[in-house]
Structure formats: structure tokens, C-alpha cells
Amino acid sequence: MDIQNNRFRPIGFAFIPLVALIIFVVIFVGRKIQIKLLWDTVEVAQEQKDSTARIEALEKLVKADNTLNNIPLNDVDFSSVNLEDADLEDTDLKSANLERTKLERANLKDAKLTSANLTSADLTSANLTSADLTSANLINANLSSANLSSANLSSANLREAHLQGANLSSTNFSSANLQDANLQGANLQGANITSAKLNNVNLHGVNLEGVNIKSANLEYANLEHANLEDTDLKSTNLLGANLQGANLENANLQDAQNLTLQKLKAAKNWEKACYDPEFRKQLGLPPGNPSQC
């Protein structure tokens, strides 16, 4: 009896890898069939952009690491959908509803998000390099640590947005609304913030060297210890702005509104900034501005 059992033992061991292979094939083929069915659902509901089945299929495809960058998603309602880590590079999301959508770490490089609704969306650590967010609604959106380098946010609404630690280098914020936004620790090198609303914005300690903020509204903005060296602040409104410890070396403050002596002298290197001739007299400075003005 023992001899017979020993004969069957090698066969049993040889059978294990075969079973494992069959299970693997079944799972692999099953996954491919499932993905094919999801794509079929997306195709069938192509014209029904708000179709629940279509949206659920797209969400499942994202979770299965499928790219959606060849699908037109403009005007689609993705509100509250989980699209974490989604590959949406170069995707057309114009006027899409992405309110409260989870887009943490999503790849939205070169995405077209013109007039999209991203109210309260979570875009933490998302890649939005060169994305077009013209006139997009980003009220209370979380963009902390996101990469918005060279993105276009002209006329976008970023009121109360969280932009702490975000890469905003060469980003276009012209005429954007940044009221009450938090930009602490953000990189704004080369950004364009002309004519933007910056009321109550938090720019504490931010490096704004060489940034164009001309004609912006900085009422009650927190610029404490910010680096404003070579920054263009011409024609800005500085009513109630906090300049305590800010570096104003070579900053252009010509035609700046609501700039008081007391507020100015709380800053560093204020005597090296550019002012109107009459204001230079009030400051007790020589009549001519530095050559770089």
C-alpha cells in the first residue's frame, strides 16, 4: 500500500503547477473579457455622456490602469467619481462637470479643461503641466503639491483654492480670481499674475522674484516675508496688504495704490525699490529711480 501511495505522490506534485497555470489563464482571460465589455459599454453609450453605465465603466477602466486619453469627455458629468491615478493626458474635458471628483495623482498633462467645473475637486499631486484651464471653476479645489507648470489659468476662479507647495512656474493666472487662496510654499517663478484678484491671498514667505503682478488687486493679501525682488507690482492695489519683512529690492511699485509709508517701511530693502517721483520725496529718497526701473 505504501508503495502505491509513493507512486502517486510525484504525479500529485506535478499536477500543482498545471492547476496554477489554468487558474492564471482563467483570471487573465476573464480580465481581458471584462475590460472588453467595459469598452463596449463606453462605445454603446458614446452619445449619452451622462449615462450612469458609461461613467461607471470609465471609472472601472481607470482602476484597471487603462488610459482614457483617446476618449472625448467634454461636457461629461464626472461629479464625485473616483479617478485617482487616472491617465487623462491630452484628454478633451472642456466644460466637464468634475465637482468633488477625486483626481489625486491623476495625469492631466496637456488636458483641455476650458470652462470645466472642478469645484472642491481633489487634485492633490496631480500633473497638470501645460493644461488649459481657461475660465475653469476651481473654487475650494485642492491643488496642493500639484504640478501646474506652464498651465493656462487665465480668468479661472481659484477662490479659496489650496495651492500649498504647488509648482506654478510659468503659469498664466492673468485675470484669474485667487481671493482667499493659499499659496504658501508654491513655486511661482516666471508666473504671469497680471490683473488677477489676490484679495486676502496667503503668499507668506513665497518667492515671487521677477513675477509679473501688474494691476493685480492685493487688498489685505499676506505678503509677509515674501521675496518680491524684481517683481512688477506696478498699478497694484495694496490696501491693507501685509508687507512685514518682505524683500522689495528692485520691485516696481510705480502707480501702486494705497501704499503707505508705515506699511512700506515694515518691509526690507524698500529704499531700493522703484516709486513715483512724488512718493520718493515723501520717503526722503533721491529724485531718480535706480537704473533698472
Side-chain angles (χ1 to χ4, degrees):
M1 184 67 70
D2 289 341
I3 293 169
Q4 287 180 338
N5 287 340
N6 287 337
R7 283 178 185 170
F8 286 107
R9 200 167 291 159
I11 297 172
F13 281 124
F15 189 63
I16 292 171
L18 181 61
V19 172
L21 178 62
I22 292 168
I23 292 169
F24 173 78
V25 170
V26 169
I27 291 171
F28 179 75
V29 172
R31 186 175 183 274
K32 291 203 79 171
I33 292 169
Q34 184 186 25
I35 289 171
K36 174 69 167 59
L37 290 170
L38 289 171
W39 280 119
D40 288 345
T41 302
V42 172
E43 287 296 319
V44 169
Q46 186 72 26
E47 301 303 318
Q48 304 167 36
K49 294 186 177 178
D50 293 338
S51 161
T52 303
R54 181 173 184 264
I55 291 167
E56 286 178 356
L58 288 167
E59 186 177 6
K60 287 175 182 176
L61 284 167
V62 166
K63 289 177 180 177
D65 294 327
N66 279 258
T67 178
L68 304 182
N69 58 7
N70 292 317
I71 304 174
L73 298 170
N74 53 303
D75 298 308
V76 73
D77 186 353
F78 266 142
S79 54
S80 302
V81 171
N82 186 350
L83 294 172
E84 291 178 17
D85 301 298
D87 185 359
L88 296 161
E89 183 174 346
D90 201 29
T91 300
D92 185 355
L93 285 155
K94 291 192 289 287
S95 301
N97 184 7
L98 295 156
E99 186 174 358
R100 298 184 305 279
T101 301
K102 294 181 179 180
L103 287 156
E104 297 102 308
R105 301 173 302 280
N107 180 14
L108 288 152
K109 182 182 178 185
D110 296 311
K112 299 164 188 69
L113 288 150
T114 309
S115 301
N117 180 12
L118 288 147
T119 303
S120 300
D122 191 347
L123 290 145
T124 307
S125 301
N127 181 8
L128 288 145
T129 307
S130 301
D132 188 355
L133 290 140
T134 306
S135 301
N137 187 350
L138 289 144
I139 294 174
N140 196 41
N142 188 351
L143 290 148
S144 53
S145 301
N147 187 354
L148 287 143
S149 177
S150 301
N152 187 0
L153 286 131
S154 59
S155 302
N157 191 348
L158 291 134
R159 184 162 52 85
E160 298 179 355
H162 307 274
L163 290 149
Q164 299 97 309
N167 181 2
L168 308 173
S169 59
S170 302
T171 302
N172 182 10
F173 286 108
S174 60
S175 301
N177 183 358
L178 286 150
Q179 293 181 71
D180 299 297
N182 190 344
L183 288 94
Q184 254 191 302
N187 175 13
L188 283 149
Q189 289 292 108
N192 178 9
I193 317 181
T194 54
S195 304
K197 292 179 181 177
L198 294 158
N199 317 47
N200 299 304
V201 71
N202 186 3
L203 289 160
H204 184 281
V206 172
N207 184 7
L208 291 156
E209 184 177 352
V211 175
N212 186 353
I213 314 181
K214 190 163 56 176
S215 303
N217 188 346
L218 284 153
E219 285 186 33
Y220 301 100
N222 184 5
L223 291 156
E224 190 175 357
H225 299 294
N227 182 12
L228 298 165
E229 185 176 349
D230 295 313
T231 301
D232 191 348
L233 291 155
K234 189 175 181 180
S235 303
T236 52
N237 182 1
L238 292 160
L239 179 67
N242 182 2
L243 291 166
Q244 182 76 38
N247 180 13
L248 293 173
E249 187 171 353
N250 300 332
N252 188 348
L253 286 155
Q254 295 177 88
D255 299 319
Q257 303 165 40
N258 300 304
L259 185 62
T260 65
L261 301 182
Q262 183 181 5
K263 181 190 303 177
L264 189 61
K265 291 186 177 180
K268 297 189 297 184
N269 298 315
W270 58 267
E271 70 282 359
K272 297 177 182 177
C274 311
Y275 305 102
D276 296 325
E278 186 58 38
F279 199 66
R280 289 187 68 83
K281 281 183 189 177
Q282 293 178 42
L283 291 167
L285 295 171
N289 271 315
S291 57
Q292 66 275 7
C293 298

PDB file of all heavy atoms in Angstrom, residues 93-128:
ATOM      1  N   LEU A  93     -11.685  67.550 -21.900  1.00  0.00           N
ATOM      2  CA  LEU A  93     -12.626  67.628 -20.779  1.00  0.00           C
ATOM      3  C   LEU A  93     -13.265  69.014 -20.706  1.00  0.00           C
ATOM      4  O   LEU A  93     -13.665  69.470 -19.649  1.00  0.00           O
ATOM      5  CB  LEU A  93     -11.906  67.309 -19.472  1.00  0.00           C
ATOM      6  CG  LEU A  93     -11.563  65.825 -19.225  1.00  0.00           C
ATOM      7  CD1 LEU A  93     -10.381  65.696 -18.278  1.00  0.00           C
ATOM      8  CD2 LEU A  93     -12.764  65.079 -18.676  1.00  0.00           C
ATOM      9  N   LYS A  94     -13.363  69.663 -21.854  1.00  0.00           N
ATOM     10  CA  LYS A  94     -13.941  71.008 -21.876  1.00  0.00           C
ATOM     11  C   LYS A  94     -15.372  70.989 -21.336  1.00  0.00           C
ATOM     12  O   LYS A  94     -16.184  70.147 -21.741  1.00  0.00           O
ATOM     13  CB  LYS A  94     -13.927  71.583 -23.300  1.00  0.00           C
ATOM     14  CG  LYS A  94     -12.546  71.912 -23.828  1.00  0.00           C
ATOM     15  CD  LYS A  94     -12.585  72.743 -25.095  1.00  0.00           C
ATOM     16  CE  LYS A  94     -13.056  71.959 -26.292  1.00  0.00           C
ATOM     17  NZ  LYS A  94     -12.047  71.009 -26.783  1.00  0.00           N
ATOM     18  N   SER A  95     -15.641  71.901 -20.419  1.00  0.00           N
ATOM     19  CA  SER A  95     -16.980  72.064 -19.816  1.00  0.00           C
ATOM     20  C   SER A  95     -17.460  70.827 -19.062  1.00  0.00           C
ATOM     21  O   SER A  95     -18.647  70.698 -18.750  1.00  0.00           O
ATOM     22  CB  SER A  95     -18.021  72.442 -20.880  1.00  0.00           C
ATOM     23  OG  SER A  95     -17.649  73.647 -21.527  1.00  0.00           O
ATOM     24  N   ALA A  96     -16.557  69.903 -18.749  1.00  0.00           N
ATOM     25  CA  ALA A  96     -16.942  68.703 -17.991  1.00  0.00           C
ATOM     26  C   ALA A  96     -17.268  69.074 -16.546  1.00  0.00           C
ATOM     27  O   ALA A  96     -16.712  70.025 -15.995  1.00  0.00           O
ATOM     28  CB  ALA A  96     -15.814  67.681 -18.016  1.00  0.00           C
ATOM     29  N   ASN A  97     -18.175  68.308 -15.934  1.00  0.00           N
ATOM     30  CA  ASN A  97     -18.513  68.515 -14.527  1.00  0.00           C
ATOM     31  C   ASN A  97     -17.663  67.571 -13.683  1.00  0.00           C
ATOM     32  O   ASN A  97     -17.899  66.363 -13.672  1.00  0.00           O
ATOM     33  CB  ASN A  97     -19.997  68.262 -14.277  1.00  0.00           C
ATOM     34  CG  ASN A  97     -20.395  68.563 -12.838  1.00  0.00           C
ATOM     35  OD1 ASN A  97     -19.586  69.083 -12.056  1.00  0.00           O
ATOM     36  ND2 ASN A  97     -21.618  68.256 -12.468  1.00  0.00           N
ATOM     37  N   LEU A  98     -16.663  68.121 -13.007  1.00  0.00           N
ATOM     38  CA  LEU A  98     -15.752  67.339 -12.166  1.00  0.00           C
ATOM     39  C   LEU A  98     -15.844  67.801 -10.717  1.00  0.00           C
ATOM     40  O   LEU A  98     -14.876  67.715  -9.960  1.00  0.00           O
ATOM     41  CB  LEU A  98     -14.319  67.476 -12.694  1.00  0.00           C
ATOM     42  CG  LEU A  98     -14.081  66.883 -14.099  1.00  0.00           C
ATOM     43  CD1 LEU A  98     -12.896  67.547 -14.772  1.00  0.00           C
ATOM     44  CD2 LEU A  98     -13.873  65.382 -14.024  1.00  0.00           C
ATOM     45  N   GLU A  99     -17.006  68.289 -10.340  1.00  0.00           N
ATOM     46  CA  GLU A  99     -17.207  68.777  -8.970  1.00  0.00           C
ATOM     47  C   GLU A  99     -17.019  67.644  -7.961  1.00  0.00           C
ATOM     48  O   GLU A  99     -17.597  66.566  -8.098  1.00  0.00           O
ATOM     49  CB  GLU A  99     -18.607  69.371  -8.821  1.00  0.00           C
ATOM     50  CG  GLU A  99     -18.846  70.018  -7.477  1.00  0.00           C
ATOM     51  CD  GLU A  99     -20.184  70.729  -7.393  1.00  0.00           C
ATOM     52  OE1 GLU A  99     -20.928  70.747  -8.405  1.00  0.00           O
ATOM     53  OE2 GLU A  99     -20.502  71.261  -6.314  1.00  0.00           O
ATOM     54  N   ARG A 100     -16.154  67.882  -6.976  1.00  0.00           N
ATOM     55  CA  ARG A 100     -15.834  66.925  -5.902  1.00  0.00           C
ATOM     56  C   ARG A 100     -15.221  65.618  -6.431  1.00  0.00           C
ATOM     57  O   ARG A 100     -15.173  64.615  -5.727  1.00  0.00           O
ATOM     58  CB  ARG A 100     -17.072  66.605  -5.042  1.00  0.00           C
ATOM     59  CG  ARG A 100     -17.661  67.791  -4.308  1.00  0.00           C
ATOM     60  CD  ARG A 100     -18.825  67.377  -3.415  1.00  0.00           C
ATOM     61  NE  ARG A 100     -19.850  66.652  -4.163  1.00  0.00           N
ATOM     62  CZ  ARG A 100     -20.791  67.236  -4.908  1.00  0.00           C
ATOM     63  NH1 ARG A 100     -20.839  68.558  -4.957  1.00  0.00           N
ATOM     64  NH2 ARG A 100     -21.671  66.513  -5.552  1.00  0.00           N
ATOM     65  N   THR A 101     -14.768  65.628  -7.668  1.00  0.00           N
ATOM     66  CA  THR A 101     -14.150  64.429  -8.256  1.00  0.00           C
ATOM     67  C   THR A 101     -12.781  64.178  -7.636  1.00  0.00           C
ATOM     68  O   THR A 101     -12.026  65.116  -7.388  1.00  0.00           O
ATOM     69  CB  THR A 101     -14.019  64.585  -9.782  1.00  0.00           C
ATOM     70  OG1 THR A 101     -15.321  64.799 -10.327  1.00  0.00           O
ATOM     71  CG2 THR A 101     -13.398  63.362 -10.423  1.00  0.00           C
ATOM     72  N   LYS A 102     -12.468  62.908  -7.390  1.00  0.00           N
ATOM     73  CA  LYS A 102     -11.167  62.545  -6.821  1.00  0.00           C
ATOM     74  C   LYS A 102     -10.171  62.326  -7.953  1.00  0.00           C
ATOM     75  O   LYS A 102     -10.301  61.363  -8.720  1.00  0.00           O
ATOM     76  CB  LYS A 102     -11.302  61.282  -5.967  1.00  0.00           C
ATOM     77  CG  LYS A 102     -12.160  61.488  -4.725  1.00  0.00           C
ATOM     78  CD  LYS A 102     -12.243  60.222  -3.898  1.00  0.00           C
ATOM     79  CE  LYS A 102     -13.086  60.438  -2.647  1.00  0.00           C
ATOM     80  NZ  LYS A 102     -13.190  59.209  -1.826  1.00  0.00           N
ATOM     81  N   LEU A 103      -9.206  63.220  -8.048  1.00  0.00           N
ATOM     82  CA  LEU A 103      -8.215  63.166  -9.120  1.00  0.00           C
ATOM     83  C   LEU A 103      -6.792  63.199  -8.566  1.00  0.00           C
ATOM     84  O   LEU A 103      -5.863  63.666  -9.232  1.00  0.00           O
ATOM     85  CB  LEU A 103      -8.433  64.341 -10.088  1.00  0.00           C
ATOM     86  CG  LEU A 103      -9.664  64.238 -11.005  1.00  0.00           C
ATOM     87  CD1 LEU A 103     -10.119  65.623 -11.453  1.00  0.00           C
ATOM     88  CD2 LEU A 103      -9.381  63.355 -12.202  1.00  0.00           C
ATOM     89  N   GLU A 104      -6.611  62.682  -7.358  1.00  0.00           N
ATOM     90  CA  GLU A 104      -5.279  62.662  -6.761  1.00  0.00           C
ATOM     91  C   GLU A 104      -4.314  61.916  -7.684  1.00  0.00           C
ATOM     92  O   GLU A 104      -4.619  60.829  -8.167  1.00  0.00           O
ATOM     93  CB  GLU A 104      -5.267  61.967  -5.399  1.00  0.00           C
ATOM     94  CG  GLU A 104      -6.105  62.654  -4.340  1.00  0.00           C
ATOM     95  CD  GLU A 104      -7.423  61.948  -4.127  1.00  0.00           C
ATOM     96  OE1 GLU A 104      -8.143  61.714  -5.128  1.00  0.00           O
ATOM     97  OE2 GLU A 104      -7.742  61.622  -2.972  1.00  0.00           O
ATOM     98  N   ARG A 105      -3.163  62.523  -7.915  1.00  0.00           N
ATOM     99  CA  ARG A 105      -2.069  61.944  -8.711  1.00  0.00           C
ATOM    100  C   ARG A 105      -2.468  61.658 -10.160  1.00  0.00           C
ATOM    101  O   ARG A 105      -1.760  60.941 -10.879  1.00  0.00           O
ATOM    102  CB  ARG A 105      -1.527  60.664  -8.064  1.00  0.00           C
ATOM    103  CG  ARG A 105      -0.991  60.861  -6.647  1.00  0.00           C
ATOM    104  CD  ARG A 105      -0.624  59.528  -6.005  1.00  0.00           C
ATOM    105  NE  ARG A 105      -1.766  58.631  -5.963  1.00  0.00           N
ATOM    106  CZ  ARG A 105      -2.741  58.699  -5.044  1.00  0.00           C
ATOM    107  NH1 ARG A 105      -2.693  59.612  -4.080  1.00  0.00           N
ATOM    108  NH2 ARG A 105      -3.756  57.856  -5.081  1.00  0.00           N
ATOM    109  N   ALA A 106      -3.594  62.178 -10.606  1.00  0.00           N
ATOM    110  CA  ALA A 106      -4.025  61.946 -11.990  1.00  0.00           C
ATOM    111  C   ALA A 106      -3.082  62.640 -12.966  1.00  0.00           C
ATOM    112  O   ALA A 106      -2.515  63.695 -12.667  1.00  0.00           O
ATOM    113  CB  ALA A 106      -5.444  62.456 -12.192  1.00  0.00           C
ATOM    114  N   ASN A 107      -2.909  62.041 -14.139  1.00  0.00           N
ATOM    115  CA  ASN A 107      -2.089  62.638 -15.187  1.00  0.00           C
ATOM    116  C   ASN A 107      -2.997  63.424 -16.124  1.00  0.00           C
ATOM    117  O   ASN A 107      -3.705  62.842 -16.950  1.00  0.00           O
ATOM    118  CB  ASN A 107      -1.331  61.555 -15.960  1.00  0.00           C
ATOM    119  CG  ASN A 107      -0.472  62.148 -17.072  1.00  0.00           C
ATOM    120  OD1 ASN A 107      -0.233  63.356 -17.110  1.00  0.00           O
ATOM    121  ND2 ASN A 107      -0.002  61.313 -17.977  1.00  0.00           N
ATOM    122  N   LEU A 108      -2.992  64.748 -15.991  1.00  0.00           N
ATOM    123  CA  LEU A 108      -3.808  65.638 -16.814  1.00  0.00           C
ATOM    124  C   LEU A 108      -2.926  66.560 -17.657  1.00  0.00           C
ATOM    125  O   LEU A 108      -3.321  67.659 -18.020  1.00  0.00           O
ATOM    126  CB  LEU A 108      -4.740  66.456 -15.916  1.00  0.00           C
ATOM    127  CG  LEU A 108      -5.903  65.666 -15.285  1.00  0.00           C
ATOM    128  CD1 LEU A 108      -6.331  66.299 -13.967  1.00  0.00           C
ATOM    129  CD2 LEU A 108      -7.070  65.570 -16.246  1.00  0.00           C
ATOM    130  N   LYS A 109      -1.744  66.079 -17.968  1.00  0.00           N
ATOM    131  CA  LYS A 109      -0.819  66.878 -18.785  1.00  0.00           C
ATOM    132  C   LYS A 109      -1.464  67.187 -20.138  1.00  0.00           C
ATOM    133  O   LYS A 109      -2.032  66.312 -20.790  1.00  0.00           O
ATOM    134  CB  LYS A 109       0.476  66.098 -19.003  1.00  0.00           C
ATOM    135  CG  LYS A 109       1.520  66.870 -19.798  1.00  0.00           C
ATOM    136  CD  LYS A 109       2.767  66.029 -20.024  1.00  0.00           C
ATOM    137  CE  LYS A 109       3.775  66.805 -20.871  1.00  0.00           C
ATOM    138  NZ  LYS A 109       4.952  65.981 -21.212  1.00  0.00           N
ATOM    139  N   ASP A 110      -1.405  68.469 -20.526  1.00  0.00           N
ATOM    140  CA  ASP A 110      -1.953  68.943 -21.808  1.00  0.00           C
ATOM    141  C   ASP A 110      -3.470  68.738 -21.931  1.00  0.00           C
ATOM    142  O   ASP A 110      -4.020  68.833 -23.032  1.00  0.00           O
ATOM    143  CB  ASP A 110      -1.260  68.256 -23.000  1.00  0.00           C
ATOM    144  CG  ASP A 110       0.219  68.591 -23.078  1.00  0.00           C
ATOM    145  OD1 ASP A 110       0.557  69.776 -23.006  1.00  0.00           O
ATOM    146  OD2 ASP A 110       1.039  67.656 -23.196  1.00  0.00           O
ATOM    147  N   ALA A 111      -4.144  68.423 -20.817  1.00  0.00           N
ATOM    148  CA  ALA A 111      -5.597  68.215 -20.873  1.00  0.00           C
ATOM    149  C   ALA A 111      -6.317  69.522 -21.191  1.00  0.00           C
ATOM    150  O   ALA A 111      -5.866  70.607 -20.832  1.00  0.00           O
ATOM    151  CB  ALA A 111      -6.098  67.647 -19.556  1.00  0.00           C
ATOM    152  N   LYS A 112      -7.444  69.402 -21.863  1.00  0.00           N
ATOM    153  CA  LYS A 112      -8.252  70.572 -22.228  1.00  0.00           C
ATOM    154  C   LYS A 112      -9.405  70.664 -21.235  1.00  0.00           C
ATOM    155  O   LYS A 112     -10.381  69.919 -21.328  1.00  0.00           O
ATOM    156  CB  LYS A 112      -8.754  70.424 -23.662  1.00  0.00           C
ATOM    157  CG  LYS A 112      -7.631  70.326 -24.691  1.00  0.00           C
ATOM    158  CD  LYS A 112      -8.128  69.808 -26.023  1.00  0.00           C
ATOM    159  CE  LYS A 112      -6.977  69.531 -26.973  1.00  0.00           C
ATOM    160  NZ  LYS A 112      -6.152  68.369 -26.527  1.00  0.00           N
ATOM    161  N   LEU A 113      -9.268  71.582 -20.279  1.00  0.00           N
ATOM    162  CA  LEU A 113     -10.243  71.723 -19.193  1.00  0.00           C
ATOM    163  C   LEU A 113     -10.903  73.098 -19.214  1.00  0.00           C
ATOM    164  O   LEU A 113     -11.364  73.597 -18.198  1.00  0.00           O
ATOM    165  CB  LEU A 113      -9.551  71.484 -17.850  1.00  0.00           C
ATOM    166  CG  LEU A 113      -9.163  70.021 -17.563  1.00  0.00           C
ATOM    167  CD1 LEU A 113      -7.926  69.945 -16.682  1.00  0.00           C
ATOM    168  CD2 LEU A 113     -10.323  69.289 -16.914  1.00  0.00           C
ATOM    169  N   THR A 114     -10.977  73.706 -20.386  1.00  0.00           N
ATOM    170  CA  THR A 114     -11.590  75.019 -20.528  1.00  0.00           C
ATOM    171  C   THR A 114     -13.024  75.005 -20.008  1.00  0.00           C
ATOM    172  O   THR A 114     -13.822  74.131 -20.384  1.00  0.00           O
ATOM    173  CB  THR A 114     -11.607  75.451 -22.011  1.00  0.00           C
ATOM    174  OG1 THR A 114     -10.296  75.314 -22.546  1.00  0.00           O
ATOM    175  CG2 THR A 114     -12.058  76.889 -22.143  1.00  0.00           C
ATOM    176  N   SER A 115     -13.332  75.923 -19.106  1.00  0.00           N
ATOM    177  CA  SER A 115     -14.680  76.075 -18.524  1.00  0.00           C
ATOM    178  C   SER A 115     -15.161  74.846 -17.760  1.00  0.00           C
ATOM    179  O   SER A 115     -16.363  74.697 -17.496  1.00  0.00           O
ATOM    180  CB  SER A 115     -15.709  76.441 -19.608  1.00  0.00           C
ATOM    181  OG  SER A 115     -15.346  77.644 -20.257  1.00  0.00           O
ATOM    182  N   ALA A 116     -14.251  73.952 -17.396  1.00  0.00           N
ATOM    183  CA  ALA A 116     -14.637  72.769 -16.612  1.00  0.00           C
ATOM    184  C   ALA A 116     -14.994  73.178 -15.185  1.00  0.00           C
ATOM    185  O   ALA A 116     -14.458  74.149 -14.651  1.00  0.00           O
ATOM    186  CB  ALA A 116     -13.505  71.754 -16.599  1.00  0.00           C
ATOM    187  N   ASN A 117     -15.899  72.420 -14.568  1.00  0.00           N
ATOM    188  CA  ASN A 117     -16.290  72.671 -13.182  1.00  0.00           C
ATOM    189  C   ASN A 117     -15.507  71.726 -12.273  1.00  0.00           C
ATOM    190  O   ASN A 117     -15.787  70.531 -12.227  1.00  0.00           O
ATOM    191  CB  ASN A 117     -17.793  72.463 -12.997  1.00  0.00           C
ATOM    192  CG  ASN A 117     -18.237  72.710 -11.567  1.00  0.00           C
ATOM    193  OD1 ASN A 117     -17.479  73.250 -10.753  1.00  0.00           O
ATOM    194  ND2 ASN A 117     -19.449  72.312 -11.233  1.00  0.00           N
ATOM    195  N   LEU A 118     -14.519  72.266 -11.560  1.00  0.00           N
ATOM    196  CA  LEU A 118     -13.676  71.481 -10.653  1.00  0.00           C
ATOM    197  C   LEU A 118     -13.862  71.948  -9.213  1.00  0.00           C
ATOM    198  O   LEU A 118     -12.961  71.832  -8.383  1.00  0.00           O
ATOM    199  CB  LEU A 118     -12.213  71.602 -11.083  1.00  0.00           C
ATOM    200  CG  LEU A 118     -11.841  70.845 -12.371  1.00  0.00           C
ATOM    201  CD1 LEU A 118     -10.772  71.586 -13.145  1.00  0.00           C
ATOM    202  CD2 LEU A 118     -11.385  69.436 -12.059  1.00  0.00           C
ATOM    203  N   THR A 119     -15.042  72.456  -8.896  1.00  0.00           N
ATOM    204  CA  THR A 119     -15.331  72.928  -7.545  1.00  0.00           C
ATOM    205  C   THR A 119     -15.094  71.817  -6.526  1.00  0.00           C
ATOM    206  O   THR A 119     -15.612  70.707  -6.672  1.00  0.00           O
ATOM    207  CB  THR A 119     -16.798  73.404  -7.447  1.00  0.00           C
ATOM    208  OG1 THR A 119     -17.035  74.418  -8.423  1.00  0.00           O
ATOM    209  CG2 THR A 119     -17.091  73.951  -6.065  1.00  0.00           C
ATOM    210  N   SER A 120     -14.276  72.107  -5.530  1.00  0.00           N
ATOM    211  CA  SER A 120     -13.969  71.163  -4.440  1.00  0.00           C
ATOM    212  C   SER A 120     -13.370  69.842  -4.928  1.00  0.00           C
ATOM    213  O   SER A 120     -13.392  68.836  -4.203  1.00  0.00           O
ATOM    214  CB  SER A 120     -15.221  70.875  -3.594  1.00  0.00           C
ATOM    215  OG  SER A 120     -15.706  72.077  -3.015  1.00  0.00           O
ATOM    216  N   ALA A 121     -12.837  69.818  -6.136  1.00  0.00           N
ATOM    217  CA  ALA A 121     -12.180  68.601  -6.634  1.00  0.00           C
ATOM    218  C   ALA A 121     -10.861  68.394  -5.904  1.00  0.00           C
ATOM    219  O   ALA A 121     -10.212  69.349  -5.476  1.00  0.00           O
ATOM    220  CB  ALA A 121     -11.930  68.710  -8.133  1.00  0.00           C
ATOM    221  N   ASP A 122     -10.458  67.134  -5.756  1.00  0.00           N
ATOM    222  CA  ASP A 122      -9.188  66.807  -5.102  1.00  0.00           C
ATOM    223  C   ASP A 122      -8.160  66.482  -6.164  1.00  0.00           C
ATOM    224  O   ASP A 122      -8.193  65.419  -6.784  1.00  0.00           O
ATOM    225  CB  ASP A 122      -9.359  65.620  -4.156  1.00  0.00           C
ATOM    226  CG  ASP A 122      -8.132  65.433  -3.251  1.00  0.00           C
ATOM    227  OD1 ASP A 122      -7.087  66.054  -3.534  1.00  0.00           O
ATOM    228  OD2 ASP A 122      -8.224  64.688  -2.269  1.00  0.00           O
ATOM    229  N   LEU A 123      -7.250  67.440  -6.403  1.00  0.00           N
ATOM    230  CA  LEU A 123      -6.204  67.303  -7.418  1.00  0.00           C
ATOM    231  C   LEU A 123      -4.824  67.249  -6.758  1.00  0.00           C
ATOM    232  O   LEU A 123      -3.821  67.638  -7.348  1.00  0.00           O
ATOM    233  CB  LEU A 123      -6.279  68.471  -8.404  1.00  0.00           C
ATOM    234  CG  LEU A 123      -7.497  68.453  -9.337  1.00  0.00           C
ATOM    235  CD1 LEU A 123      -7.988  69.865  -9.610  1.00  0.00           C
ATOM    236  CD2 LEU A 123      -7.178  67.752 -10.635  1.00  0.00           C
ATOM    237  N   THR A 124      -4.774  66.744  -5.545  1.00  0.00           N
ATOM    238  CA  THR A 124      -3.509  66.659  -4.818  1.00  0.00           C
ATOM    239  C   THR A 124      -2.474  65.891  -5.634  1.00  0.00           C
ATOM    240  O   THR A 124      -2.740  64.782  -6.112  1.00  0.00           O
ATOM    241  CB  THR A 124      -3.711  65.936  -3.463  1.00  0.00           C
ATOM    242  OG1 THR A 124      -4.761  66.575  -2.742  1.00  0.00           O
ATOM    243  CG2 THR A 124      -2.436  65.967  -2.644  1.00  0.00           C
ATOM    244  N   SER A 125      -1.315  66.509  -5.831  1.00  0.00           N
ATOM    245  CA  SER A 125      -0.184  65.883  -6.544  1.00  0.00           C
ATOM    246  C   SER A 125      -0.514  65.499  -7.989  1.00  0.00           C
ATOM    247  O   SER A 125       0.186  64.673  -8.592  1.00  0.00           O
ATOM    248  CB  SER A 125       0.328  64.649  -5.794  1.00  0.00           C
ATOM    249  OG  SER A 125       0.756  65.012  -4.491  1.00  0.00           O
ATOM    250  N   ALA A 126      -1.563  66.096  -8.564  1.00  0.00           N
ATOM    251  CA  ALA A 126      -1.905  65.809  -9.960  1.00  0.00           C
ATOM    252  C   ALA A 126      -0.915  66.497 -10.907  1.00  0.00           C
ATOM    253  O   ALA A 126      -0.323  67.520 -10.565  1.00  0.00           O
ATOM    254  CB  ALA A 126      -3.322  66.279 -10.263  1.00  0.00           C
ATOM    255  N   ASN A 127      -0.751  65.924 -12.088  1.00  0.00           N
ATOM    256  CA  ASN A 127       0.115  66.508 -13.108  1.00  0.00           C
ATOM    257  C   ASN A 127      -0.752  67.280 -14.102  1.00  0.00           C
ATOM    258  O   ASN A 127      -1.462  66.681 -14.912  1.00  0.00           O
ATOM    259  CB  ASN A 127       0.906  65.416 -13.830  1.00  0.00           C
ATOM    260  CG  ASN A 127       1.838  65.993 -14.898  1.00  0.00           C
ATOM    261  OD1 ASN A 127       2.004  67.203 -14.998  1.00  0.00           O
ATOM    262  ND2 ASN A 127       2.443  65.130 -15.699  1.00  0.00           N
ATOM    263  N   LEU A 128      -0.711  68.618 -14.021  1.00  0.00           N
ATOM    264  CA  LEU A 128      -1.487  69.487 -14.904  1.00  0.00           C
ATOM    265  C   LEU A 128      -0.565  70.341 -15.765  1.00  0.00           C
ATOM    266  O   LEU A 128      -0.929  71.435 -16.206  1.00  0.00           O
ATOM    267  CB  LEU A 128      -2.413  70.376 -14.068  1.00  0.00           C
ATOM    268  CG  LEU A 128      -3.601  69.654 -13.417  1.00  0.00           C
ATOM    269  CD1 LEU A 128      -3.926  70.260 -12.057  1.00  0.00           C
ATOM    270  CD2 LEU A 128      -4.816  69.692 -14.314  1.00  0.00           C
TER     271      LEU A 128
END
